[in-house]
Amino acid sequence: MSHSILLPRTMEIGRDACQKLPQILKSLGIKKPLIITDDTMVKLGYVDNIQGILKEAQISADVFSDTVPEPTEMSISAGVSQVKAKDYDGLIALGGGSPIDSAKAISILGRFGGDMRDYKFPRQVDETGLPIIAIPTTAGTGSEVTRFTIITDDLNNEKLLCVGMGFMPIAAIIDFSLTLSVPPRTTADTGIDAMTHAIEAYISPKRNAYSDQQALAALRLIGPNIQMAYRNGKDEAAREAMMLGSTLAGIAFCNSSVALVHGMSRPIGAFFHVPHGLSNAMLLPTITEFGISSAPDRYADCARALGIADTSDTDDQANTNLVRFLKDLNKELHVPTLAEFGVQRADFDKLVNTMCEQAFASGSPNNNPRIPNLEEMIQLYTMLWDDNSTAHA
């Protein structure tokens, strides 16, 4: 059985990779790009740096900087209008997953119109929008190498998963030096997001020999370095490992799939505005423990790749280590419960059934080794209030 593998046409990886942006634009025939970013990138001077690099090559680039965390149709509408009104021939997506996801949506909506819901999974969006050069500034989402974007439908408070070749950036610039100023909270959330991508890609039934190797390589980089990057953001070796690990994890899940953690995570973000990586972190220990019995060998491989189990350990011992590691990691990285985040229990109880509906509708829970029924999913959601308590086998 063969598998289709999708990647950007070109990737530039390493310190100061951004310096190669003009050559990449030239190779793609892009002469009038629009930079899609957010206000933080402007304030940190990253946008000025990119414009400076382009100016030296006699390239002028306008800026759309109104993207927001957890992007919505409303937040990207001005960007879509700007693309429709002017003759840009490419987009430079600069920032974390949100600006890159925003650029993906703007690329398609700006060229083909419609609403984001028109492109919702299971539709495969293979149209060719404006070409995107993605420059991630966090080590987490892997969006620079994936065919996915997630945009919230403001009216229905639903995170729309959109999938297809049309959302794959044509180029990615992986420059770890852009992550050196990322604060500890974001470092933790994006790092666990990347770890989740790798684990879920590896345990998914949609996995293949190619995605397996990317996932395990990602875990080997993330396992020994996530805590070091969190404790000391200036640790360049840790930052470089996390950045490459994030990209490899993105390649892994793009060519496999995500599973139950992501399926249940999206409604938490939509209804309670919990950052995506943080809601993944809240769920990961419990969902992992829930699924282990259905794929003990796969989860044990993940534990060994993370460096928390030896090859001589049994799968049971490796998996015990894995669950303990994930719970301890959440404590060290100060991952809150939903209650500690500020969510009111009454609001949660009112919405939990809708959250389950949205989670199942995304299709991601069906990629889990163990697929919960409705009652089990409600129980798993409820465990978010109990500081990652033990899931019932």
Side-chain angles (χ1 to χ4, degrees):
M1 182 178 177
S2 66
H3 298 273
S4 297
I5 303 301
L6 194 62
L7 296 165
R9 181 186 298 180
T10 184
M11 288 186 277
E12 191 72 31
I13 300 175
R15 175 180 268 286
D16 300 326
C18 289
Q19 298 295 329
K20 298 290 182 66
L21 178 58
Q23 292 98 305
I24 291 172
L25 292 175
K26 184 178 179 181
S27 73
L28 297 171
I30 296 172
K31 298 178 180 177
K32 189 178 179 182
L34 171 67
I35 299 172
I36 306 288
T37 189
D38 59 27
D39 190 48
T40 300
M41 294 295 104
V42 175
K43 289 177 179 175
L44 288 174
Y46 287 5
V47 174
D48 284 344
N49 290 345
I50 293 296
Q51 286 184 308
I53 291 168
L54 295 175
K55 190 174 182 181
E56 287 182 11
Q58 286 77 53
I59 300 171
S60 176
D62 292 342
V63 178
F64 175 75
S65 60
D66 291 339
T67 68
V68 299
E70 315 297 320
T72 67
E73 276 207 275
M74 193 176 299
S75 75
I76 63 171
S77 60
V80 173
S81 298
Q82 188 169 339
V83 163
K84 286 181 176 178
K86 301 195 177 183
D87 55 345
Y88 300 113
D89 56 0
L91 304 177
I92 298 169
L94 175 69
S98 295
I100 297 175
D101 275 5
S102 297
K104 291 178 177 184
I106 290 168
S107 164
I108 294 295
L109 292 178
R111 179 164 282 183
F112 299 106
D115 297 319
M116 211 64 222
R117 185 166 286 278
D118 299 332
Y119 301 94
K120 178 185 176 183
F121 182 81
R123 176 177 172 180
Q124 289 294 313
V125 183
D126 292 336
E127 295 93 330
T128 302
L130 282 175
I132 299 167
I133 296 89
I135 309 176
T137 59
T138 61
T141 69
S143 189
E144 71 276 7
V145 289
T146 74
R147 56 191 168 91
F148 307 109
T149 189
I150 297 174
I151 305 293
T152 299
D153 175 346
D154 304 87
L155 294 177
N156 297 297
N157 230 358
E158 179 183 356
K159 284 196 171 188
L160 304 175
L161 172 63
C162 303
V163 181
M165 287 189 291
F167 297 121
M168 173 63 77
I170 196 167
I173 294 177
I174 317 299
D175 186 343
F176 75 87
S177 66
L178 299 177
T179 69
L180 294 173
S181 62
V182 175
R185 177 73 270 143
T186 306
T187 297
D189 296 347
T190 54
I192 295 182
D193 191 20
M195 183 188 299
T196 306
H197 291 153
I199 292 173
E200 292 206 305
Y202 192 76
I203 54 91
S204 166
K206 294 183 178 179
R207 63 186 181 263
N208 55 74
Y210 182 87
S211 64
D212 277 357
Q213 294 308 309
Q214 310 306 308
L216 293 175
L219 292 173
R220 291 186 191 108
L221 289 165
I222 293 167
N225 289 289
I226 185 168
Q227 287 137 307
M228 288 194 283
Y230 175 76
R231 294 175 195 143
N232 177 14
K234 302 301 181 186
D235 185 330
E236 294 199 6
R239 288 293 197 186
E240 184 172 19
M242 289 300 298
M243 194 68 164
L244 182 56
S246 169
T247 297
L248 292 174
I251 291 170
F253 87 83
C254 177
N255 292 288
S256 173
S257 68
V258 289
L260 183 56
V261 175
H262 275 77
M264 291 179 63
S265 174
R266 296 185 198 106
I268 296 172
F271 287 111
F272 304 120
H273 309 293
V274 180
H276 172 68
L278 185 58
S279 56
N280 277 351
M282 290 176 175
L283 287 161
L284 184 58
T286 297
I287 301 304
T288 298
E289 195 165 14
F290 173 80
I292 278 174
S293 62
S294 296
D297 56 331
R298 305 296 291 187
Y299 282 104
D301 286 346
C302 292
R304 295 182 185 106
L306 285 165
I308 55 173
D310 296 325
T311 54
S312 59
D313 290 332
T314 64
D315 286 355
D316 284 348
Q317 184 58 55
N319 288 327
T320 297
N321 292 359
L322 178 61
V323 173
R324 186 187 308 119
F325 168 75
L326 294 176
K327 291 181 178 180
D328 289 346
L329 183 65
N330 274 9
K331 288 176 183 173
E332 179 174 347
L333 303 188
H334 297 101
V335 174
T337 62
L338 270 182
E340 290 165 346
F341 187 80
V343 176
Q344 299 301 309
R345 185 61 187 259
D347 295 333
F348 172 85
D349 288 341
K350 195 188 322 180
L351 288 166
V352 69
N353 282 300
T354 303
M355 291 164 64
C356 291
E357 289 171 12
Q358 291 187 3
F360 281 120
S362 75
S364 297
N366 290 330
N367 300 328
N368 215 57
R370 180 181 175 188
I371 303 170
N373 58 34
L374 177 60
E375 288 182 1
E376 287 172 328
M377 187 176 285
I378 290 172
Q379 182 188 23
L380 291 168
Y381 267 133
T382 303
M383 287 177 183
L384 289 173
W385 294 87
D386 302 325
D387 196 20
N388 291 314
S389 61
T390 301
H392 297 304

